[in-house]
Each structure stands twice: as C-alpha cells, then as structure tokens.
Amino acid sequence: MRGLWLACVLVLSSLSYAWAADIQIEKLKDDISLISVIGEFTEGDDSHFKNLAITTDKAVVFFNSPGGLAAVGMEIGRTISIKGFATGVDRNAMCASSCGLAWLAGKIRFITPTSKVGFHAVFKDDAGQKDVSSAGNALVGSYLQQLNLNANVIVYVTDAAPSTMQWLTADDAKRIGLEINVLTDDDPPRRPGQFRSVETPAPAMHRRRLPSPLRPNRRGRLGDSMNIPTCRDMICLACR
C-alpha cells in the first residue's frame, strides 16, 4: 500500500513564492485519505482544497508550506474544522504564517520534534514596508475563537512582528493551553488498536508513535516504507 507525500524543498528565508500550493489527495483502505498541501497559499487554493475535502470523511492533512494569504489559510482551516480532519507537519517540514492558521484547525494536531510550526501578526505590504494590520489580526482572532481556542492562543499567534516568526515549542503549547500531539520514534511499536497516549508531564501534550520515514519514490509518492496502520490510527483518533 502506498500513502501520499510529495518531495518538496522549501527555502525558509523566503516568504514570497509565485506558484500556488500543490494540493493532492490519496485514498487508502477503509475510506481513509491522506491530503498533502505543499507550497505557498495563493488565491484559489482554498477552493481547490475544499473540492478535494468533500470527497472524503476521514483524513489527515499534512502541510509543508511557508504560508501565504491569510484569508486562504483560514478558509482551508474552516474546511478542516467542519470535516473534522486531523492535521500534521512531518519531520523537518515547515508550516508557517497562514499555514499555521490552517494547521490549528485540526481536530487533532500532529507534529514531530523536528517539525517547524510558526506564527506572526497579519500585515499589509505598503511598498515593501510590512505594517501590522489591525483589521487582519481581528479577523484571525475571530477565526481562532470559532475553533474554540483560548485567548492565550490568540495572543500567541498574533504577537510576533511581521518580520519575525514565533516558532511553536512543546513548552509554549503547554503554557498557552494548546493541545498538540508529538509523534516520536522512541515509543515501542504497537499493533493497530493499541495506539494510545502515554503519560507526559504536560496534559496538553500527547506522544504518539511516529510512522517510519516518508521516503518519496521516483514518482514523488510515498513508498512502502510508510507505516499505514499507524496513520490509520491517527485518523481514527481524529474521528472519535
């Protein structure tokens, strides 16, 4: 069985790409889907995502994106929230700015110790000058309230200046009351159905077994190295 993941190299220092996000879906057994969103969020990506999302009821959405249009990220997030999808950022992948807004919408939010999820204030670009947009941040605050996230999360997401990035850490998540699930390599393997939380000091942090490395094959798709039963359990957790 093959899952979906496309190889993509993102340059962290650049936040201005000219192409739309690459959004693809692959259905596995038991009506479970993997959706990948790779690249900058541009106009129309939210509609493309919605058209794919309506074809499945159970999915994990994996992101690897530097962000893009805030409105597009929030619309993708609203679709994720309505569908009850889980969201994830794979090893060494990035989900920043408006991508982070979409990731927050996951019913269950997965990251790894080497994932990078980042936030900063919404801004308007006036001849190269990035100025904080009060109206834009108000819309982000309203969106996060719709996701039932608390005031501490709203402040955290919109606090960093446009020229900087607030990279999410496990300690930050605990402090602001954001529930996330950290996938790790060090837990013993479990059979499907035995996928469960283990005790951690932070009640908002749950450690899960990480699937084996996602290695794209020559077609840019996931090879058989992917641990599909583990991914299926991830989706089942989101659908409870």
Side-chain angles (χ1 to χ4, degrees):
M1 179 181 293
R2 301 179 182 221
L4 173 64
W5 198 251
L6 303 179
C8 182
V9 177
L10 296 174
V11 181
L12 180 60
S13 60
S14 173
L15 295 180
S16 57
Y17 294 80
W19 54 86
D22 183 0
I23 306 173
Q24 298 194 32
I25 184 171
E26 182 163 325
K27 291 190 176 181
L28 308 178
K29 285 185 177 180
D30 304 322
D31 296 323
I32 296 172
S33 298
L34 298 178
I35 302 176
S36 67
V37 182
I38 301 175
E40 185 190 9
F41 292 177
T42 61
E43 187 174 356
D45 285 339
D46 48 341
S47 296
H48 184 194
F49 182 89
K50 185 179 296 183
N51 289 337
L52 293 179
I54 62 177
T55 66
T56 184
D57 291 325
K58 294 181 288 186
V60 173
V61 183
F62 285 96
F63 290 103
N64 195 351
S65 169
L69 296 177
V72 171
M74 288 187 285
E75 281 304 311
I76 290 175
R78 288 188 178 98
T79 299
I80 290 171
S81 179
I82 290 170
K83 296 292 291 185
F85 293 162
T87 54
V89 183
D90 193 26
R91 295 186 185 100
N92 302 312
M94 174 177 63
C95 181
S97 189
S98 59
C99 178
L101 298 179
W103 173 82
L104 284 169
K107 184 174 181 180
I108 295 181
R109 309 173 192 95
F110 294 100
I111 62 171
T112 78
T114 59
S115 304
K116 296 178 72 71
V117 178
F119 308 97
H120 61 66
V122 176
F123 64 90
K124 51 187 178 181
D125 194 333
D126 185 7
Q129 179 67 35
K130 295 180 179 180
D131 297 320
V132 174
S133 170
S134 298
N137 285 307
L139 291 174
V140 169
S142 175
Y143 161 76
L144 296 176
Q145 285 183 325
Q146 292 170 12
L147 299 180
N148 295 318
L149 296 175
N150 64 50
N152 290 333
V153 174
I154 295 173
V155 171
Y156 183 88
V157 168
T158 59
D159 186 54
S163 59
T164 63
M165 193 69 69
Q166 180 84 275
W167 295 111
L168 182 67
T169 67
D171 287 342
D172 287 346
K174 176 183 177 182
R175 175 173 55 83
I176 65 178
L178 177 66
E179 185 173 356
I180 64 176
N181 293 262
V182 180
L183 303 177
T184 64
D185 285 319
D186 53 7
D187 294 329
R190 299 187 182 94
R191 298 189 305 274
Q194 291 184 315
F195 196 67
R196 59 180 177 82
S197 302
V198 297
E199 292 183 0
T200 62
M205 300 294 299
H206 303 281
R207 297 167 67 85
R208 308 286 185 185
R209 169 117 177 114
L210 183 67
S212 51
L214 306 184
R215 302 186 182 95
N217 59 24
R218 292 180 179 178
R219 297 181 180 178
R221 298 154 68 91
L222 269 171
D224 293 333
S225 61
M226 184 173 183
N227 190 331
I228 297 300
T230 303
C231 289
R232 182 178 298 113
D233 283 336
M234 288 165 52
I235 297 171
C236 289
L237 285 168
C239 296
R240 288 179 181 175

